[in-house]
Amino acid sequence: MLSIQNLHARIGDTEILKGLTLEVKPGEVHAIMGPNGAGKSTLSYVLAGREGYEVTEGSVTFDGQDLLAMEPHERAAAGLFLGFQYPVEIPGVSNLLFLRTAMNAQRKLRGEPEISGADFMKRVRAEAAVLGLDIEMLKRGVNVGFSGGEKKRNEAFQLGMLEPRFALLDETDSGLDIDALRIVSEGINRFRRPDRAVLLITHYQRLLDHVRPDRVHVMAAGRIVASGGPDLALRLEAEGYEGIAA
Ligand code: ADP
Ligand code: MG
């Protein structure tokens, strides 16, 4: 589904990704762990198509299509979702208007009809209830005045509403208390389907206790340095990155 081959990318003169290869098949959940500065967020930005990142070598295909040749909004319409490590605040644009606009823009690009106001609100109520988000809060500006945990729940809310096929979640578990972590984990587990895949960037085994990954990868200095099953995350917890990434 997502195939990354020998990816090299730089910001300005600094090469951050240095030959990263990763293959995620439909139905799979992969986790990427690794020390700060390894390039995990850079990978997610390159995949999402954020400006300022130059790919100098390698390829990325999404369902066989050249992902790197697509504009960010085309990537989203194709079914790619990125949950940010640091969700941005957008004053003056309500969460609901933002989401409905995004949903309809994606539908339009796919040649699908717009979602009706009634259907949209029905979905909003259902998703918000599951995630414990207040509808009144969702009428406020995007993430404005949200606590760190609320922003992360809002990422999970967007995931549930947009129904992408590939979710790339950058530290969606960071800053969550135990209850919120369970709620967000359930959101990820509900998202799991044989035709969808998830790439989770995380520092914490406790997320992986709730969301059992098929594969765990360790990233260091811009590439994958170790891969294994869920046990690898337990080994990392016990031994730290140094022993494994060396
Ligand atoms: P991680 O998410 O694994 O902690 P990042 O992808 O955020 O790592 O960062 C990888 C490296 O890229 C770090 O050394 C960081 O300082 C550097 N970096 C990130 N953003 C920029 C930028 N805009 N300009 C220059 N260097 C950057
Ligand atoms: Mg990061």
Side-chain angles (χ1 to χ4, degrees), residues 11 14 16 34-43 53 85 170-171 203:
I11 310 171
T14 315
I16 311 286
N36 291 323
K40 304 181 299 296
S41 292
T42 299
L43 172 65
Y53 296 80
Q85 180 172 5
D170 191 359
E171 298 197 26
H203 284 298

Side-chain angles (χ1 to χ4, degrees), residues 15-89:
E15 185 170 59
I16 311 286
L17 301 183
K18 300 173 183 170
L20 189 139
T21 295
L22 179 67
E23 181 97 31
V24 183
K25 296 195 172 75
E28 292 183 343
V29 174
H30 288 225
I32 294 186
M33 306 181 88
N36 291 323
K40 304 181 299 296
S41 292
T42 299
L43 172 65
S44 69
Y45 291 140
V46 168
L47 294 178
R50 184 175 178 169
E51 273 182 32
Y53 296 80
E54 188 196 348
V55 173
T56 53
E57 212 183 317
S59 65
V60 182
T61 60
F62 184 53
D63 288 338
Q65 276 184 291
D66 181 0
L67 187 79
L68 301 176
M70 296 158 78
E71 295 293 327
H73 67 277
E74 294 171 331
R75 300 179 195 200
L80 186 70
F81 174 88
L82 170 63
F84 291 109
Q85 180 172 5
Y86 303 107
V88 290
E89 299 186 7

Side-chain angles (χ1 to χ4, degrees), residues 31-38 40 171 201-205 208 216-221 225-226 232-246:
I32 294 186
M33 306 181 88
N36 291 323
K40 304 181 299 296
E171 298 197 26
I201 295 170
T202 182
H203 284 298
Y204 302 108
Q205 170 59 35
L208 305 180
V216 174
H217 309 278
V218 183
M219 188 168 169
V225 294
L232 180 56
L234 292 170
R235 263 185 65 204
L236 284 170
E237 187 104 320
E239 299 171 28
Y241 289 126
E242 278 186 14
I244 287 166

